Amino acid sequence: MKKKGTVWIDLYNCLYLVSSKYNEVEYLESPIFEIFDELDSSIINGLSMESLKFFLENDWITEEQKKELNQFKQYLVGIDDKYWNKIDFDLQEDWLFLKKWSISLMDKLGMKKKGWDSDGEQVIIV
């Protein structure tokens, strides 16, 4: 089974957004797309225990990667709401730590940081 589907894309979106600087993704902003809303939904879907279990059962991740992804999620959701804004996203200590961690996770999972197409609609993953 290939690593495709909504939950894998949600995991990618989460890691991609966290690893990016705000100015790298702000072109995606529109009346129907808000970066922090997308990140929040990607956390809920791509890093849920059900999704991680699915990835593990399909041999897309190892048990160690599952644990690390869960730790990443816990750290991410633990960031104070006041820091969920475009200024703190690039400057706040927790976000900076998570940016490095998300890049490491993408590397471990064999994800290449491609992002969205120029229309800001379709995720491109390898």
Side-chain angles (χ1 to χ4, degrees):
M1 178 184 280
K2 289 194 173 197
K3 296 178 185 175
K4 292 191 176 184
T6 303
V7 292
W8 189 255
I9 290 171
D10 284 332
L11 173 61
Y12 173 82
N13 286 351
C14 178
L15 295 175
Y16 176 82
L17 287 172
V18 171
S19 70
S20 300
K21 292 186 179 196
Y22 193 83
N23 67 355
E24 294 173 337
V25 293
E26 70 182 333
Y27 74 93
L28 297 167
E29 290 279 347
S30 73
I32 59 171
F33 185 94
E34 200 277 324
I35 291 168
F36 293 105
D37 286 343
E38 176 64 25
L39 179 55
D40 192 46
S41 67
S42 295
I43 294 166
I44 292 167
N45 297 319
L47 288 171
S48 71
M49 288 310 292
E50 294 82 14
S51 294
L52 296 178
K53 183 180 174 188
F54 174 80
F55 300 152
L56 183 65
E57 288 172 351
N58 285 282
D59 295 322
W60 295 0
I61 62 173
T62 64
E63 184 65 41
E64 268 188 45
Q65 290 168 331
K66 178 185 173 196
K67 288 177 186 175
E68 186 175 6
L69 286 165
N70 191 47
Q71 290 170 337
F72 178 83
K73 175 187 176 185
Q74 296 310 313
Y75 197 98
L76 182 56
V77 298
I79 293 178
D80 193 310
D81 290 344
K82 70 181 179 183
Y83 297 123
W84 282 67
N85 62 70
K86 65 182 181 179
I87 295 169
D88 289 314
F89 187 68
D90 288 339
L91 300 174
Q92 201 273 338
E93 184 177 306
D94 290 325
W95 282 117
L96 295 174
F97 173 75
L98 284 169
K99 286 179 187 311
K100 290 177 185 173
W101 194 358
S102 64
I103 290 168
S104 172
L105 283 167
M106 290 180 82
D107 187 49
K108 290 176 185 177
L109 297 170
M111 295 177 169
K112 295 185 180 167
K113 190 172 174 177
K114 295 283 189 179
W116 284 269
D117 66 10
S118 59
D119 295 330
E121 293 182 3
Q122 183 177 351
V123 176
I124 303 166
I125 60 174
V126 177

